[in-house]
Amino acid sequence: MEVLHHEPHGRASRIVEFNNVLYFDAHAPAAAMKQAVPMYEQAKALLHRFDELLEQYGSDKRHVLRAEIVLRNASDLDEFNRAWTEWVDDGYQPSRLTHTGLTIAQETVLVAISLTAAKKDV
């Protein structure tokens, strides 16, 4: 089986596809790169962007297998979870790891998410 590298950019690819599974690089909310935006709004925007990316690559949020969420501040967890709970469909919650340690992005970026998702049956 072929490994597909979508949107390669120097050190990594935005998405790698193998055996009908999509492995997404960490994504951060674009608006937060330009100005300070509260956690809830960053999370909502980023999850909406993942809806678009999942659709573009033949999947959706009900096919997400695993999510890794990296927060800048542990104190933002409740606001992140509020957005996450609104986004994820009940009964389709993926496995999830949430931790702090987001230190390499701009200080205005409060969250980064990486997903692994199965493609929908074609």
Side-chain angles (χ1 to χ4, degrees):
M1 299 193 126
E2 184 178 4
V3 176
L4 301 174
H5 297 268
H6 301 287
E7 303 178 47
H9 58 89
R11 295 178 305 276
S13 295
R14 299 271 295 182
I15 299 114
V16 174
E17 180 179 344
F18 178 72
N19 200 21
N20 291 317
V21 176
L22 302 165
Y23 301 87
F24 289 83
D25 192 13
H27 287 66
M33 302 287 195
K34 299 175 184 167
Q35 64 184 10
V37 178
M39 168 56 83
Y40 177 75
E41 283 78 15
Q42 285 191 32
K44 293 272 295 180
L46 187 50
L47 293 167
H48 176 72
R49 178 65 181 132
F50 269 115
D51 281 332
E52 297 170 344
L53 288 168
L54 288 162
E55 181 179 346
Q56 179 181 346
Y57 287 95
S59 189
D60 62 26
K61 64 185 174 182
R62 288 186 169 198
H63 287 77
V64 173
L65 304 170
R66 184 172 193 282
E68 182 172 353
I69 298 106
V70 185
L71 305 176
R72 181 170 298 280
N73 305 304
S75 60
D76 286 331
L77 181 60
D78 287 344
E79 283 300 289
F80 176 83
N81 281 337
R82 182 165 67 109
W84 177 266
T85 301
E86 291 172 3
W87 180 75
V88 73
D89 289 339
D90 193 37
Y92 293 91
Q93 295 90 339
S95 68
R96 183 179 127 170
L97 170 66
T98 307
H99 58 93
T100 60
L102 185 60
T103 58
I104 60 171
Q106 291 175 224
E107 287 186 17
T108 54
V109 176
L110 302 177
V111 61
I113 301 173
S114 178
L115 297 181
T116 302
K119 292 186 79 168
K120 294 190 285 188
D121 293 333
V122 180

